[in-house]
Amino acid sequence: MRARDVLLNILWFLLGGEVLFLLYCIGGLLMMITIVGIPFGIEAIKLGSLSLLPFGAAVGNLPGIHGLRFVFNVVWFLVIGWIIALFHFLLSLIFAVTIIGLPFAYEHWKLGFVGAFPFGKIIVH
């Protein structure tokens, strides 16, 4: 990880990254109470790991087409994904007001897309 990414991750953590991480992880653990919610909880915790240290992390798609991923993404989006995406997109607009906030706006934009449809995504730190 580059020194720039380390510095931006520290600032991200101090400016609310830890809150996002805790919210995603608590939500993920609550989803795992039922057997049906386990895949959704895993994806929420994966989003939490991305929201903890987003700078220097790359998001990619898993290869192949998997029908269950599509169904899970539709259910996720209808239940919570659109709220997560809207939240991150609004935060990206707020951060984009200043030049200093542009890197944070980009990371919220990235989190918004992953938060809308997390199944089938892979995060590489």
Side-chain angles (χ1 to χ4, degrees):
M1 189 178 299
R2 300 182 326 205
R4 172 191 168 270
D5 292 337
V6 171
L7 176 64
L8 287 172
N9 277 328
I10 291 169
L11 287 173
W12 176 274
F13 185 80
L14 294 174
L15 294 174
E18 77 282 359
V19 174
L20 282 173
F21 171 74
L22 288 173
L23 289 174
Y24 277 126
C25 289
I26 290 170
L29 291 174
L30 289 174
M31 286 183 225
M32 289 186 187
I33 290 174
T34 64
I35 292 175
V36 175
I38 290 174
F40 298 98
I42 291 170
E43 294 303 315
I45 292 173
K46 185 167 66 173
L47 281 167
S49 75
L50 179 61
S51 69
L52 184 63
L53 300 170
F55 292 96
V59 178
N61 293 320
L62 290 173
I65 298 173
H66 195 275
L68 200 54
R69 280 189 223 149
F70 176 76
V71 172
F72 281 172
N73 272 326
V74 169
V75 171
W76 176 276
F77 183 78
L78 293 175
V79 174
I80 193 72
W82 70 273
I83 297 170
I84 292 171
L86 182 65
F87 173 74
H88 284 295
F89 292 150
L90 289 174
L91 283 174
S92 74
L93 289 175
I94 291 169
F95 277 109
V97 171
T98 64
I99 292 174
I100 295 171
L102 285 176
F104 298 98
Y106 175 76
E107 294 304 321
H108 274 294
W109 193 257
K110 180 169 68 173
L111 280 164
F113 281 110
V114 176
F117 302 103
F119 289 92
K121 302 286 189 224
I122 188 165
I123 300 167
V124 180
H125 286 278

